[in-house]
Amino acid sequence: MSHPDHFALFALPVRFALDESALEQAHKEVQSKVHPDRFASGSAAERRVAMQWAAQANEAYRTLKSPLARAAYLCERAGVPILAESNTAMPGIFLMQQLQWRESLDDARRDGDAPQLDELMATVHAERDRLINAIAGAIDGEHDHVAASALVRQLMFIDRFRDEVRDADEFLSRPREASA
């Protein structure tokens, strides 16, 4: 089975900026055509191919739905791999920001300060939105996948940190057991 381009599979334009409702609709249409249940009475080979196409459609959908995965996919599709494991160079200002955020998170955890976590999460979301807009400009506007790949690596850091803030907030929000 060949693996078609994710955008071609859903007949969507190859762009970072994506109409999410068009993606949802296209995914439903593709799934209705390739869902394994439609081939339940088919041969083993037909069922296997249907399963492969359904899996491909699900993988393509997950990739295109996520701004981070979509940006990485577009960069790699353009011949610019993200190389997140080997290329960890980041702008100094970004690293300083990460250190400040890390200190704020540590302080909020230590102090049990949920409002500080909320403020930190709002800051992280604003920076994430800024990065997503910058990625859109680099890919769709400037067709600069090298710049976009550097921004994708930053977005990976932001998303991991956002998860840590969310985990800390959930921990602080959990009801505490009374000491006996």
Side-chain angles (χ1 to χ4, degrees), residues 72-89:
Y73 177 75
L74 283 164
C75 288
E76 290 174 6
R77 186 180 181 275
V80 181
I82 300 303
L83 304 172
E85 295 82 28
S86 61
N87 185 350
T88 57

Side-chain angles (χ1 to χ4, degrees), residues 119-137:
E119 185 178 321
L120 180 58
M121 184 62 91
T123 301
V124 170
H125 277 287
E127 179 61 14
R128 185 178 191 275
D129 290 345
R130 186 197 70 74
L131 272 174
I132 288 172
N133 288 331
I135 290 168

